[in-house]
Amino acid sequence: MQPININQYQPAVPTISSSNTDEEKLREQTDAFEAIILKMMLDKALDTKDSLLPEDPGRKIYKSMQNDEISKQLSGSFGYSELLYGYLTEQKSMKG
């Protein structure tokens, strides 16, 4: 009997390509951080108890996935990423 490789069923961990410059890597990370903040805000803001729609188990999962995709699309446009990027580049220039 051959062992089962469960890693093939798990989603790949996102990585930053090594061909990017340090500034591009930092921008990607600050956008990812902004996406996390936006997801938390969307989860709270869109958490409505709708009496017309039944509360089924898949609904919470679907709403979470939907909020995750919305936050990824919106990241980089709300300003948190830009503020964090500016702060970190300023800190880097002061050290270097």
Side-chain angles (χ1 to χ4, degrees):
M1 179 183 260
Q2 291 199 355
I4 298 173
N5 181 6
I6 62 169
N7 291 330
Q8 68 184 358
Y9 301 109
Q10 295 176 347
V13 176
T15 59
I16 299 173
S17 62
S18 60
S19 64
N20 292 349
T21 64
D22 287 340
E23 289 82 19
E24 290 172 343
K25 289 178 187 178
L26 182 60
R27 176 67 70 187
E28 287 178 20
Q29 289 299 308
T30 56
D31 285 350
F33 183 74
E34 185 178 57
I36 293 170
I37 293 172
L38 290 172
K39 171 130 178 14
M40 290 189 304
M41 288 172 42
L42 286 171
D43 285 343
K44 288 294 182 186
L46 300 177
D47 185 27
T48 58
K49 303 294 181 204
D50 192 359
S51 60
L52 296 177
L53 296 173
E55 195 65 35
D56 58 349
R59 182 182 169 133
K60 287 183 181 180
I61 295 169
Y62 175 76
K63 290 301 281 184
S64 177
M65 289 170 47
Q66 181 184 22
N67 290 344
D68 190 38
E69 287 303 312
I70 291 171
S71 67
K72 287 177 186 175
Q73 293 294 320
L74 293 175
S75 69
S77 62
F78 268 74
Y80 298 120
S81 176
E82 187 63 38
L83 287 172
L84 184 58
Y85 179 80
Y87 174 76
L88 292 174
T89 53
E90 181 181 313
Q91 293 297 313
K92 183 180 176 183
S93 67
M94 292 175 95
K95 287 183 181 180

